[in-house]
Structure formats: structure tokens, C-alpha cells
Amino acid sequence: MLALAAFLPWLLAASVSNHSTPVFDGRFARDLDLILSSDSLEGRKTGQPGGRRAEEFAAARFREWGLRPGVGDTSYFQTYKFLSTQVTGTPELTFTDSPVGALNYAYGSDYVVLLYSGSGSATAEAVFVGYGISAADKGHEDYAGVDVTGKVVIALRGAPRDGKTWVDERAMGYKVRNAQRHGAKGVLICENEAPLLGTIQERFFEEDMPGLFVSARVVRDLLIGTGRSFEELKTEAGQGRNVSFGTGHAVKLAVSSEVLREARGRNVVARIPGTDASLKRECVVVGAHLDHLGRDAAGHIYPGADDNGSGASTVLAMARELARSGWKPRRTIYLTLFTCEEQGLQGSTWFAEHPPAESIAVMLNMDMVGVGSVVPNMGGVDRYPELVRLARALVPDSVRSRVEIGGSGPDSDHWPFSERGIPSLFTLSGGSHPNYHQVEDKGWRLQPEVLDAVGKFEFRVLQAVADTAAFRVDPHRMARLAAHMARPLARARYDDRRHGLHEAASRGAGVILLQLPPAEPLLMSARVSRLEKEFAVDSSLFRLARSAADLDEHAQRGKVSVILEAEVGAFDLQDSLLILFLKQQGVRAVLPDGTPNATEAHFIGNSGLLLDQTLLRSPLASDHPSLYSGRVPAGAARGFEFDSPADARSESPRTGYLLGEDPVKVASRLLQKKWTRESVINWMGLNFAKFWKENS
């Protein structure tokens, strides 16, 4: 505790003055971080003595500087329960049949035990399984062609860089659980030269499944004699290819973990009340995680100066300056130091699930802002572009062009808020962070100028969002998020449909315009003209069916590629654009609008047309078993995805999902009908192609 005692007198000497504008002091933040990353706090692991001392230190600073308690206006601590694990005994990792005999690896330099590793031991063949992902819906199975029952798998950290969206599959815990489901007895995860002390996360915890993070050296050793290199395998796996195989070499691993099922964590929260009669009911959460990794199984302390003593000390330094400045924000501000981030975002998840009395308008998160460059990089543009644009405009002109902007990700405390539709900005300093999750992430490496640049930037963003009427809380924010996330999907699928129409034309197949009951000729002509203009095709592509017999004749001649439903009372135009394209030769599909009527059932049952197989998983299938039973030959209807239970149609028969209706309102209705957000995104990505093309 000597380091803590040496700094306290200077820290407590701060007095409150009446500056009108907060001024951030990067050196003060650095000095706070030197305390947080000192050995006296033992790596600040939540639930351990060092973590509790860090929490007490932060709460004492809020109290000394005169900030109000943020939990019920009476406490600085928001307490929650969580499951924790602690390695007991000495772990082991041995290459049992190396060319030079049994090779014992060194803890720390060759491997580390992951947080939330289960207990267990195994001596078995090591099997390389790429990224260790099983995702049939994305056409990816790393366990194809290998049997890992009773074996130890080697899995790469992360996910393929193949353009697909990987969220859960990137998590180390996912890989551990998936390996166990395939019968494995242990997991070795690897990425680069040094092992990384990461987390399996409580939600993936398996009590009898040990997990280690190993260095590239360990994997290279196990590849001896296989004819494959680690670098080659990483490259091929990154392209989404299956590179799984048995190495023919055996390893022995052993881990013993103690499980603490009712550990307690505490977020540290202070509050600055807003002054605007309306906006003060909405708040801005400024946060960073206070915790780090504590000690490893060998007793090494992970100081966590950059990760994330830097973000925590920035929040604390902002708190002091807010108290000194006398600034009166229009919105209420919560200064929050989350805990248990390293063990799976548990503190921030608890806060997001149990928010303050005020509705949360914006969340600002800082993580790893103590080294690198003075450029504040930021994440969140994929979900909340307006917030990111505002923040980027507040970066100094001299470095704005160097700002790197990325998407949201489940790797820091903004994520639980982002998932709830709350505009969230993730800030980290640019440049390299070479000591991430290493024992060398020490206070002497901190760069005050980096802390200063990020802190000043974060203050500008805070002032902007706390004093603006933008980012108002509304009941449709989850719908707004879903609609926004569907936009790029819709754009891509629009291009696919247009290509599919031309492909159909080149095959001599047609797109049937169904005119039942008979439509006005001018109405049908107008629809054809609109489709010609929209998809850049000529009218010779479209064929008109005026009766069931016409449709049967087209089908028997092999001319039906897609049915374009064009008439109210039969099929609906808005649904037709779900199936305007076919990616594979010979696929034919039709999607009925709601419950098929007699005419539609006749077409489906007697015209050689196929229902897309995914429709069979909707409530519509169980309601009409006679219609769907045996109608779809295995593998016949492939080429596109959708998720659209019939009961989610708009109340109006022709709302114009493709004709300009507000997508947020549509998403809101679907969410009210208990659709998952993912289903809404996928379905809207198909249904809204035309709308977003016109409004992009």
C-alpha cells in the first residue's frame, strides 16, 4: 500500500472552483493510473481483495470531490452477484510424444489458463479445428471431417474474415463449449506468438472443460511432421476454408479450478444532476471498466495500466474537473466505473439491465486510452452513425483524417447498452497496444499526452450530447436499431435480385406477372414499367398469366423462374420482391402472402412451383400441414433466406413495405409481435430493398 499512500495527499488536495468549462489534465489522469496499476491493487480482479480496494479508492475520490452517489442517491456502489473461478494448484501442458521426448511447457511464456476454465485433465491427440465454429446457417463447419471425441482441440482466436457476421462465434467461450459438444476433453486457443490471458465468460462456463491459451510456439511444435505451417493454416482458415485435421501428436493438459458461485462485484457510480426540465430525465453514461485480470496461476500480477486503468483514471479525472468547473449540464450524467469486464462484461450488463431512474440517452465508453497515439479511434458506426459523426467532428482538425472508425463489438462495456438500442460510442487511443493482457502492461509505459488528448476529446463529446436535444430517448429505439442494421443487407440483396432477373432472362425463363383476378390493363402496364425502371430490364422478361391454366402452361414449358405477385387479392407485390432473384440454376420458388387462398394453393400445389424450405419453419406451416406436406423435395429450394411469419404483415393489405413506409414503424410492429431482433433484420433486409435504394 506504499504507492497508494504516497499519492493520496496530492490527490486529495484538489479544491472546487468555478471554471465555466471543464479542462482535462492528462498528467493527473496518469498519476491516478499509477495508483490503479500498482502492485498494491494486485491487478484489480473483481471479487478479489485488490479489486475491492480499487473500488473503495474510486468511491473515495467521488466522495472527496463532492459528486453525488449514483445508486439511489445514497451509495456509490451498485452490487451484483456473479460466478467466479480461481485456479488452484499447478496447471500442466506437455507435448508427450515430441521428437525429443516429453516436452513440458512453461506457464506464462508458453500458455496461460483462461478465466472461467473448468477443471479436468486429458492425455490425447491434438486436433486442429480452424476457428472451432459450427454454424450451419452460415455454411460453416470446422468440425467436418474430424472426430474429436476424447481429444484435445486447437482453435484459433476470432473468426474468419469472409464477410459474414460473427459475434458469439468469435468468443473464446463459444469455442470451448462447441468443442465439448463435439466430445473434446480440452481446448487450446491460439492467435499469436505470446499467450493471451483471456476469458471464457460465465455464460459459456463448463465446470469439467479445461481451456488454455497457448503461444504460437506450442502449435508449431504440434504441427511437426504434418506438412502444414501455423501461418498457412491461419491464412486458409481466415478465408473461411475448412483446415481441420488430426496432428497425430499427443498432449497432456491438466487444470484445477475452484468455483465461487456467489461472488460479489460492485460498479462504482457517481451522479451529476441535469438542469433542463425535460432533458434531465434522460442521462448520459460515461464509463470505463475499473477491473483487470488480477494474478495468474503462477502468481504473476497483471497491472492493467492501459487496459483499463487508463479509461478508469480518465473517468476519475473527468469527475474531478466536473466538480471543479461548476458546469451545469442539461442532461443528468452518470460517471460509472464498471467491474467484471474482463470476466465477461458482467458489471456493465448488470448496469444496463438495472439502469438509474433516468432513461439512458447516450453511453460513452473508454477502454485502453493510455498508450499509442493522440488520435482517438472510435467504434459504433455500424449502429449509431449519427453519434459517431458528431464525435468525429469534435476531433481536432490536425488529426481528424487519421481517425479510424469501426463497428460495434462485444468486447467492451459499450456492448450491453448498444444491444439495448442505446446510442453508444467506444473510444480507444490509436496506434499500437503491444502489452494487451500481458504482465508488461505497467504504469511506467503510460503516455500522458495520449491520456490528455483522449480526455479532452471525451469532454467535448460529453458536453455536446449532454447539452443537445438530439439523441432523445424514444420507445422505438430497438426498432430503429433493427431497421438501421437491415439497411446494408437490403442494399446487397437488391443488387442480387437485379442480377437474378437478368440471369433468369438469359436462361429464357421468365418472371410471371400474375393477373388474378383480372387487373386493369393500365395498372398492370404501370407495374411493368416500374419494374423495368427499377431493375433495368425490358418488358420481354415478364410474362402475363391471366388464369391458372396460363400459369400451368408456363410451368410445364419450364418457363417459370420466379412468380411476381402483382395483384391485391391474390399475391401481393410487396412479397414478390422477396423472390425476384434465384442464385442457383433451376431453382423455382413462390412465397404466399399470409394464408394461401384457394387460387394460390392451386398454383402452389399443381403448377410445379416450390415453396422456399425456410417457410416450413414458420407458424404458417403448422397451420396448413396438408398444403406443405411433401411439397418441397430435399435440396430443391435453395438460394435465398428469409424469416417472415405471416402474422407480421402490416394491417393494410398494401402498406408498401417497398413503397416508402417508415422502416422503424415496421420494425417496431414486428418486435411487438415478439420477433427477435435478428429475425427482424433478416426479414427487413429482404423486404426493404427498394425503399433503401431510393432513400440511401
Side-chain angles (χ1 to χ4, degrees):
M1 297 295 290
L2 290 177
L4 181 59
F7 277 98
L8 277 175
W10 181 72
L11 287 170
L12 301 184
S15 61
V16 177
S17 60
N18 289 313
H19 304 296
S20 59
T21 302
V23 179
F24 187 80
D25 185 345
R27 293 190 177 276
F28 180 69
R30 186 272 314 274
D31 293 336
L32 286 166
D33 199 344
L34 289 174
I35 295 175
L36 295 177
S37 58
S38 66
D39 287 352
S40 63
L41 297 186
E42 302 180 271
R44 309 187 306 281
K45 184 178 179 181
T46 304
Q48 297 298 312
R52 286 192 289 272
R53 288 196 294 272
E55 294 155 17
E56 294 287 351
F57 172 79
R61 304 289 70 73
F62 286 154
R63 187 180 301 111
E64 289 293 335
W65 298 330
L67 287 103
R68 293 190 184 184
V71 181
D73 214 27
T74 60
S75 176
Y76 293 103
F77 296 116
Q78 184 189 44
T79 303
Y80 57 92
K81 294 180 181 179
F82 70 102
L83 182 148
S84 180
T85 62
Q86 189 70 30
V87 177
T88 60
T90 304
E92 181 182 353
L93 180 63
T94 303
F95 184 178
T96 60
D97 60 351
S98 83
V100 295
L103 179 59
N104 295 313
Y105 291 109
Y107 193 93
S109 58
D110 291 323
Y111 74 100
V112 293
V113 178
L114 292 167
L115 301 180
Y116 287 111
S117 169
S119 298
S121 62
T123 301
E125 181 188 10
V127 180
F128 188 84
V129 293
Y131 285 101
I133 292 172
S134 299
D137 59 326
K138 299 174 184 176
H140 191 102
E141 178 54 83
D142 281 324
Y143 284 87
V146 293
D147 180 4
V148 302
T149 304
K151 300 177 182 179
V152 176
V153 304
I154 306 168
L156 295 169
R157 183 188 182 215
R161 298 171 298 281
D162 56 359
K164 297 175 183 175
T165 300
W166 306 102
V167 180
D168 267 359
E169 299 92 344
R170 302 183 63 86
M172 287 183 270
Y174 168 90
K175 301 172 192 298
V176 172
R177 177 169 291 176
N178 196 36
Q180 186 183 55
R181 287 175 175 172
H182 283 85
K185 293 299 183 182
V187 178
L188 309 179
I189 295 177
C190 184
E191 182 178 30
N192 294 314
E193 298 304 319
L196 188 71
L197 183 55
T199 181
I200 291 172
Q201 298 185 15
E202 179 180 338
R203 64 193 177 109
F204 292 116
F205 173 64
E206 301 289 349
E207 196 161 354
D208 58 351
M209 188 66 170
L212 308 180
F213 202 113
V214 302
S215 67
R217 175 205 168 190
V218 172
V219 179
R220 290 191 185 100
D221 287 350
L222 294 172
L223 293 175
I224 291 173
T226 65
R228 306 300 302 272
S229 73
F230 180 53
E231 289 71 22
E232 177 185 74
L233 290 170
K234 283 180 65 177
T235 298
E236 293 180 17
Q239 296 166 349
R241 298 168 59 182
N242 183 296
V243 291
S244 302
F245 68 101
T247 66
H249 294 304
V251 295
K252 178 182 179 181
L253 64 83
V255 176
S256 178
S257 290
E258 177 187 7
V259 181
L260 306 173
R261 298 194 177 277
E262 295 225 349
R264 291 183 180 270
R266 299 183 299 183
N267 295 322
V268 188
V269 190
R271 175 175 174 268
I272 299 174
T275 58
D276 184 273
S278 175
L279 290 178
K280 70 179 181 181
R281 298 187 181 92
E282 303 177 354
C283 68
V284 180
V285 176
V286 182
H289 73 90
L290 176 64
D291 65 303
H292 196 52
L293 300 167
R295 294 179 181 267
D296 66 15
H300 303 129
I301 293 175
Y302 285 71
D306 184 35
D307 182 19
N308 184 36
S310 61
S313 64
T314 298
V315 172
L316 286 170
M318 291 175 72
R320 183 190 74 154
E321 192 54 40
L322 286 168
R324 293 172 52 165
S325 69
W327 173 49
K328 304 296 184 183
R330 297 176 68 194
R331 277 192 170 106
T332 298
I333 296 172
Y334 281 86
L335 298 147
T336 308
L337 297 175
F338 303 111
T339 53
C340 224
E341 190 265 6
E342 300 289 9
Q343 297 175 68
L345 311 182
Q346 300 202 55
S348 54
T349 299
W350 182 265
F351 189 97
E353 291 175 348
H354 303 83
E358 299 88 353
S359 299
I360 302 174
V362 175
M363 193 276 166
L364 307 177
N365 177 44
M366 291 171 283
D367 200 343
M368 298 170 55
V369 295
V371 301
S373 77
V374 297
V375 179
N377 290 340
M378 56 195 78
V381 70
D382 56 332
R383 296 184 171 197
Y384 307 107
E386 296 85 359
L387 178 58
V388 174
R389 280 196 293 268
L390 178 148
R392 186 179 182 276
L394 297 172
V395 176
D397 295 344
S398 59
V399 298
R400 187 177 301 134
S401 63
R402 294 160 53 193
V403 171
E404 295 181 13
I405 295 176
S408 303
D411 50 2
S412 192
D413 287 315
H414 59 280
W415 183 250
F417 299 88
S418 178
E419 282 286 271
R420 287 161 176 79
I422 298 169
S424 304
L425 180 74
F426 174 32
T427 302
L428 68 162
S429 55
S432 176
H433 298 263
N435 298 297
Y436 171 69
H437 280 209
Q438 304 295 325
V439 294
E440 291 303 313
D441 185 7
K442 297 183 176 180
W444 66 265
R445 299 180 184 276
L446 293 166
Q447 300 168 247
E449 69 277 11
V450 174
L451 286 161
D452 193 71
V454 174
K456 285 181 167 61
F457 162 74
E458 206 72 17
F459 249 136
R460 290 191 290 272
V461 177
L462 173 59
Q463 289 180 285
V465 298
D467 280 343
T468 180
F471 307 108
R472 294 305 304 265
V473 174
D474 71 77
H476 302 295
R477 60 186 180 187
M478 284 299 293
R480 199 174 304 283
L481 173 61
H484 176 76
M485 293 175 69
R487 183 185 298 259
L489 191 63
R491 288 174 177 166
R493 286 174 172 170
Y494 176 88
D495 291 339
D496 282 345
R497 292 171 191 169
R498 177 178 169 181
H499 173 74
L501 280 175
H502 287 273
E503 183 182 17
S506 70
R507 295 201 310 266
V511 174
I512 303 300
L513 286 178
L514 187 65
Q515 192 179 3
L516 283 173
E520 292 294 330
L522 289 178
L523 176 63
M524 186 62 71
S525 175
R527 287 174 176 165
V528 170
S529 297
R530 185 173 67 228
L531 290 166
E532 287 182 89
K533 180 179 179 181
E534 179 183 348
F535 290 102
V537 295
D538 61 57
S539 58
S540 65
L541 176 62
F542 303 105
R543 296 178 173 83
L544 184 63
R546 297 180 181 274
S547 66
D550 284 351
L551 189 59
D552 284 336
E553 181 181 354
H554 283 302
Q556 291 165 10
R557 292 167 56 192
K559 296 296 185 181
V560 176
S561 201
V562 185
I563 285 195
L564 174 63
E565 312 96 349
E567 177 55 40
V568 177
F571 293 112
D572 195 328
L573 175 64
Q574 65 197 34
D575 297 323
S576 68
L577 294 184
L578 291 173
I579 56 170
L580 279 182
F581 70 97
L582 296 175
K583 292 183 177 178
Q584 300 182 12
Q585 179 77 15
V587 176
R588 295 177 297 187
V590 60
L591 172 65
D593 176 17
T595 303
N597 59 31
T599 303
E600 294 165 349
H602 173 82
F603 296 154
I604 295 167
N606 300 302
S607 299
L609 303 174
L610 304 176
L611 290 169
D612 186 85
Q613 289 185 46
T614 55
L615 185 61
L616 302 183
R617 294 195 293 269
S618 82
L620 189 61
S622 59
D623 291 343
H624 301 275
S626 61
L627 177 63
Y628 293 93
S629 176
R631 294 296 185 186
V632 185
R638 299 185 302 272
F640 68 97
E641 304 171 44
F642 74 94
D643 188 349
S644 53
D647 65 353
R649 302 301 186 199
S650 173
E651 292 79 1
S652 167
R654 289 187 64 212
T655 59
Y657 282 149
L658 294 166
L659 305 178
E661 184 177 0
D662 182 358
V664 175
K665 292 181 180 178
V666 175
S668 181
R669 286 204 300 275
L670 300 185
L671 290 170
Q672 289 171 7
K673 293 174 182 291
K674 306 304 181 184
W675 281 38
T676 66
R677 190 184 67 197
E678 290 70 24
S679 296
V680 173
I681 292 168
N682 286 332
W683 186 80
M684 290 182 66
L686 288 165
N687 261 317
F688 273 76
K690 179 174 183 288
F691 176 86
W692 270 310
K693 180 177 185 293
E694 293 176 349
N695 294 276
S696 60

